[in-house]
Amino acid sequence: MPRPPHQSLQAAVLPPAGAPSGALRGRTPDREQAGPWHSEAVCRRDEAGLFFAPSKEPTAERLAREQAAKSVCARCPVLVECREHALLQPEPYGVWGGLTAAERRVVLARRRRRDAVGQPDGVPAQVRRIA
């Protein structure tokens, strides 16, 4: 069953029941002990409307809103964890980790292509963070 587009951040990042501690990739033991990565996210202080599009939003307004959301992401200490969460879920809506849904689809397609061709740099796919 698909999730609604405006699911809370906390609900979206919790691992499935029975998953081992640290089930989300990108977490370090120090961060795990300090709390979930999203507790440090700068966007927690902003309105969700900045990160998720209202229905039938005009293109110029969408681009301006996405740029404003990306500027919030740019100063976030957990940008990488957020981005990886959105790529691994995959999150179908909104700006996560400084990437729009369309940009995340491009990153995922590049990862799939690279993984299909092989590992040119010898680094396993699960170690790489950003395409």
Side-chain angles (χ1 to χ4, degrees):
M1 173 190 261
R3 289 190 323 237
H6 299 291
Q7 182 178 21
S8 75
L9 179 60
Q10 186 171 12
V13 298
L14 293 177
S21 178
L24 295 176
R25 189 168 68 162
R27 291 180 131 180
T28 61
D30 292 339
R31 182 149 328 219
E32 185 71 31
Q33 291 172 357
W37 64 265
H38 55 85
S39 65
E40 298 175 41
V42 173
C43 63
R44 289 177 60 95
R45 297 183 287 273
D46 293 303
E47 290 188 33
L50 185 61
F51 297 90
F52 296 95
S55 62
K56 300 185 181 186
E57 181 180 36
T59 302
E61 290 178 22
R62 177 182 54 84
L63 294 173
R65 180 190 47 76
E66 288 174 347
Q67 192 56 45
K70 288 178 178 187
S71 69
V72 171
C73 294
R75 65 179 195 270
C76 186
V78 292
L79 178 131
V80 172
E81 290 90 343
C82 180
R83 181 175 292 174
E84 280 303 304
H85 160 80
L87 291 167
L88 291 173
Q89 284 303 315
E91 290 291 347
Y93 305 104
V95 175
W96 290 77
L99 298 177
T100 64
E103 291 166 336
R104 291 191 302 275
R105 285 190 295 273
V106 170
V107 170
L108 289 171
R110 285 179 182 163
R111 285 183 179 183
R112 281 191 296 273
R113 259 192 321 274
R114 182 176 51 218
D115 292 346
V117 170
Q119 307 302 322
D121 56 5
V123 179
Q126 55 270 44
V127 174
R128 285 194 213 106
R129 286 202 167 292
I130 301 169

